[in-house]
Amino acid sequence: MNTVFAIAGVVIKELYRRKDFYVLFVLSALITIAAGSVNFFKDLVMVRYVKDICLLLIWFSTLIIAVITAARQIPAEKENRTIFPLLAKPVSRGQLIAGKFLGCWLATGLAVLVFYVFFILVTATKGGDWQLVTYSKSIGLLWLMLGMVIAMTLLGSVVLSAVSSNTTICLVVIIGVLFIGEHLNKIALRQSEPVKSITYTLYYVIPHFEIFDVRNLVVNNKPMPSLKACGLATLYAGAYVTAFLYCTWLIFRRQRLNT
Amino acid sequence: MRNVPPALMMVFLATLVFTLATAVDSEFRSSTATSNVEGAFTKLLGDGRRLFSGQSVEMADVYLHSGFYPSIFDSREPAAAKAIASNDDDHTNHKHDEQGKCVHEEDHAAHKHDAEGKCVSEESAGGHVDEHEKAMSFMDQTLDPLQGFIRNFRITQHSHLENGEEREVLPWLKLAIALDPQGVETYAVTSYWLRKTLKRVEDARDILREGIRNNPKSFELLFAMGQVYEQEDKDHEKARNIWLAAEKFWEEQPIEAKETSVGQYGKITVNLARLESEAGNLPLAIQYFELTKLTSLQPEAVQKQIDEIKARMLRTTNSTPVFEPAR
């Protein structure tokens, strides 16, 4: 387990050495502050649109960070040939994957926390309430979703050789699921066979990232899902993460490294 | 050139740039004077900004429903109007008695009534709400276990913003106006929410003024402005003048445009009729009611109003003593 944590530690250090997080954070902060400083009808307590914009930017930024960070882990190790001394430590390929996943997940978790601290501060300055339970659940659900994203991207990184193609494909799939994943069953009902059955199967098979999107509840001050629902969501995410990581290991354990 | 110190060269170049900038700037300003007025969105998006304006109004509607809103994949009434745009003053100002009869005839032409003056589409005032509830019942019971699970993370109750929280829709409406300054309806909707729910009459008037500045011949905005003067300031004279201007602009339209806006004409004339009726100018009131009757979906109800005024005129004539009887 120490080996996994050691690899994870290196990944976290890599995140704060690279500029991606800082650029996205500054950009998000600037857009949010600009939107929040607009005065509509001399009313200073309009807060929902600022929350909406800020949460959208947080989702977008953390998604980009998660995909980019995860996508380059294994290819970069291969390209720099650092994977050979790493595996000679000895570190098993399974530990390497687990360590890379944990590192990426913890690193994006840190990024989510920083973004949310900014979000809570902006909301408070616009007159919003301190809904700490709501924010905690929202952070937790986003982090779970990012776990699924990272696991999927790691799988992509051992299947596709180029980082750019993996990143692009993963982002297209994730954004596609976020937009229409929830509605695939409705789309299926309007199709004729065999498209109907295929679409319905897809609906049940794909990882539903959109489940974890509770921005609408946060923005509109609605009650958050119960602990039971959050627990089930954790199991759901856990199952997909395990499945993705297992597939990654299955492919990676027999993969030639000297490409 | 080699002997010129770099600092001097820099000063020279800075001076040159500054001088040229002053010359170019004045030229540029005179040639693009109109586009400056239209704002940043025009420069950035061109005419494409109008496409986003509708999206912005929809966002306002989503906020009004506290996030409970059908997606493009949900089945909903295609003709169902946005709640944010149901800004007819007849909705809130329209008073009904215990029998559901209108006691205030302000917007008879737009509001459907039977011959008795009862709302035909709604049995009671609550009928307005029922129709909207029906349009928003897109989230039925589901047998799909995954869908059922997903709903734990969604808003499943239909509710509207209230207690002043309606202000949250205003940023999106203001954005819609900035994106499409010719979108007449957005000004009217914004002014309605400012005036009716937030009691910010001056802001409502300002937004209508802005709308009229950008759309000088908009009879819809003039009508809304007349309502502000009539209902908030009780300035009937000003309201009458504005509505007369609205009527004039409606008349000036081509025939095709008139056909699509007869409802608005009915609103203008019925309000003018009511003003004249209240002022005691009964023949003029009848004239306006006759015009309303031509465009109304319920001409019998309007005729009833005319008959009532005629009866009033008759009573007035009969009750006037012609001579003092000798004692």
Side-chain angles (χ1 to χ4, degrees):
Chain A
M1 205 61 192
N2 282 343
T3 318
V4 173
F5 280 115
I7 296 169
V10 175
V11 178
I12 294 169
K13 278 177 196 148
E14 190 195 320
L15 177 82
Y16 66 71
R17 274 207 308 271
R18 291 185 67 95
K19 306 286 180 289
D20 313 2
F21 167 73
Y22 304 109
V23 170
L24 285 167
F25 181 74
V26 169
L27 201 64
S28 304
L30 280 178
I31 295 172
T32 308
I33 291 168
S37 61
V38 179
N39 187 353
F40 295 102
F41 304 106
K42 301 171 216 95
D43 193 330
L44 298 174
V45 284
M46 290 172 196
V47 70
R48 289 190 191 198
Y49 81 99
V50 182
K51 281 164 90 174
D52 212 348
I53 292 168
C54 190
L55 282 176
L56 177 72
L57 291 168
I58 289 174
W59 263 70
F60 178 76
S61 302
T62 51
L63 191 63
I64 298 282
I65 290 169
V67 171
I68 290 178
T69 310
R72 66 169 171 242
Q73 289 306 318
I74 294 171
E77 296 279 7
K78 281 186 195 171
E79 199 179 314
N80 301 333
R81 299 193 166 272
T82 47
I83 197 160
F84 297 110
L86 192 63
L87 290 174
K89 286 285 181 189
V91 173
S92 71
R93 292 193 183 196
Q95 284 173 324
L96 178 72
I97 291 167
K100 290 291 184 190
F101 167 76
L102 189 66
C104 290
W105 195 38
L106 290 173
T108 48
L110 282 175
V112 169
L113 272 181
V114 174
F115 273 104
Y116 258 87
V117 167
F118 171 73
F119 168 72
I120 292 168
L121 288 176
V122 168
T123 310
T125 51
K126 288 288 283 182
D129 304 326
W130 293 85
Q131 302 162 310
L132 291 181
V133 176
T134 301
Y135 295 149
S136 308
K137 283 186 178 175
S138 170
I139 291 169
L141 288 167
L142 173 57
W143 196 34
L144 285 172
M145 195 277 294
L146 292 173
M148 288 163 72
V149 165
I150 290 164
M152 193 179 90
T153 314
L154 279 176
L155 173 61
S157 73
V158 295
V159 175
L160 301 160
S161 51
V163 176
S164 55
S165 54
N166 182 29
T167 307
T168 310
I169 290 169
C170 283
L171 280 175
V172 168
V173 169
I174 293 160
I175 292 169
V177 171
L178 284 172
F179 273 103
I180 63 163
E182 192 179 338
H183 307 288
L184 273 178
N185 58 337
K186 294 167 207 159
I187 296 168
L189 289 174
R190 293 172 203 163
Q191 312 299 320
S192 54
E193 292 293 357
V195 180
K196 184 179 180 178
S197 299
I198 295 168
T199 316
Y200 234 110
T201 312
L202 259 180
Y203 169 69
Y204 281 108
V205 169
I206 57 165
H208 285 271
F209 301 114
E210 79 283 357
I211 289 178
F212 305 87
D213 183 4
V214 287
R215 285 177 296 140
N216 210 9
L217 297 173
V218 179
V219 169
N220 292 291
N221 301 329
K222 294 288 177 187
M224 291 298 275
S226 63
L227 278 176
K228 186 187 162 196
C230 291
L232 282 172
T234 311
L235 285 178
Y236 181 85
Y240 272 99
V241 167
T242 313
F244 282 133
L245 292 181
Y246 184 67
C247 288
T248 312
W249 175 73
L250 279 181
I251 297 168
F252 187 59
R253 68 179 175 152
R254 294 188 186 281
Q255 204 168 48
R256 287 168 64 87
L257 300 173
N258 52 350
T259 48
Chain B
M1 287 293 278
R2 271 188 205 163
N3 299 332
V4 180
L8 266 183
M9 185 55 103
M10 285 300 294
V11 169
F12 168 71
L13 287 173
T15 314
L16 186 69
V17 167
F18 183 78
T19 314
L20 283 173
T22 52
V24 171
D25 187 57
S26 59
E27 279 293 311
F28 181 76
R29 275 179 199 280
S30 61
S31 65
T32 59
T34 48
S35 64
N36 280 342
V37 175
E38 286 171 3
F41 285 116
T42 315
K43 282 180 186 166
L44 280 172
L45 302 168
D47 276 349
R49 72 193 190 281
R50 289 174 213 275
L51 294 172
F52 298 102
S53 172
Q55 194 60 37
S56 192
V57 173
E58 183 147 321
M59 276 305 291
D61 205 30
V62 173
Y63 274 35
L64 184 67
H65 288 94
S66 300
F68 181 81
Y69 209 72
S71 70
I72 52 166
F73 302 103
D74 289 303
S75 52
R76 62 170 160 175
E77 293 274 327
K82 288 185 172 73
I84 194 103
S86 63
N87 64 334
D88 285 330
D89 275 344
D90 40 272
H91 231 66
T92 44
N93 276 358
H94 209 89
K95 291 171 191 146
H96 300 81
D97 62 17
E98 294 87 342
Q99 283 84 43
K101 236 179 168 180
C102 293
V103 290
H104 187 34
E105 71 274 29
E106 182 188 9
D107 285 309
H108 259 282
H111 211 80
K112 292 174 195 163
H113 299 86
D114 63 10
E116 302 299 316
K118 269 190 177 177
C119 299
V120 283
S121 55
E122 299 90 18
E123 285 303 310
S124 63
H128 298 285
V129 181
D130 291 344
E131 232 173 54
H132 180 59
E133 283 292 339
K134 199 177 150 195
M136 291 301 287
S137 61
F138 61 90
M139 210 178 258
D140 305 323
Q141 287 284 328
T142 180
L143 297 172
D144 185 336
L146 184 57
Q147 196 68 42
F149 176 57
I150 292 173
R151 284 191 187 174
N152 285 311
F153 303 85
R154 299 287 173 268
I155 298 169
T156 51
Q157 294 292 316
H158 179 205
S159 63
H160 285 182
L161 291 179
E162 51 191 15
N163 301 329
E165 285 205 318
E166 297 92 335
R167 66 173 176 270
E168 298 286 357
V169 305
L170 294 173
W172 294 108
L173 293 175
K174 191 83 173 99
L175 180 65
I177 287 172
L179 288 167
D180 184 9
Q182 272 65 52
V184 167
E185 197 191 9
T186 320
Y187 294 102
V189 170
T190 311
S191 109
Y192 169 82
W193 287 103
L194 279 166
R195 183 165 68 92
K196 285 290 170 189
T197 59
L198 302 172
K199 311 289 175 209
R200 297 174 64 168
V201 179
E202 278 316 306
D203 286 330
R205 214 190 310 262
D206 285 347
I207 207 78
L208 285 174
R209 278 199 194 110
E210 186 188 333
I212 293 167
R213 254 199 315 276
N214 290 329
N215 308 276
K217 293 199 168 184
S218 166
F219 48 87
E220 295 98 332
L221 294 179
L222 285 168
F223 172 71
M225 185 64 105
Q227 281 185 312
V228 175
Y229 279 107
E230 198 249 342
Q231 290 169 15
E232 306 297 338
D233 300 354
K234 309 291 173 208
D235 189 342
H236 294 189
E237 198 51 44
K238 216 165 206 170
R240 180 187 286 112
N241 290 338
I242 292 172
W243 282 335
L244 284 171
E247 191 200 9
K248 183 176 152 244
F249 287 133
W250 186 87
E251 291 285 359
E252 284 176 2
Q253 293 183 107
I255 190 84
E256 300 83 24
K258 279 182 185 174
E259 279 170 11
T260 57
S261 57
V262 280
Q264 194 68 38
Y265 183 68
K267 280 185 183 179
I268 297 166
T269 51
V270 81
N271 279 283
L272 280 169
R274 186 174 47 76
L275 275 190
E276 298 303 349
S277 170
E278 281 170 10
N281 302 326
L282 300 183
L284 203 52
I286 290 175
Q287 262 185 38
Y288 281 122
F289 271 127
E290 291 289 355
L291 288 172
T292 309
K293 201 168 76 171
L294 295 174
T295 60
S296 175
L297 296 169
Q298 298 288 319
E300 306 86 7
V302 184
Q303 184 57 49
K304 197 166 174 279
Q305 299 286 323
I306 295 169
D307 294 342
E308 275 174 21
I309 293 177
K310 280 181 179 167
R312 210 169 116 198
M313 283 170 80
L314 208 61
R315 275 200 304 275
T316 318
T317 317
N318 289 345
S319 63
T320 309
V322 181
F323 61 91
E324 283 285 324
R327 295 190 176 195

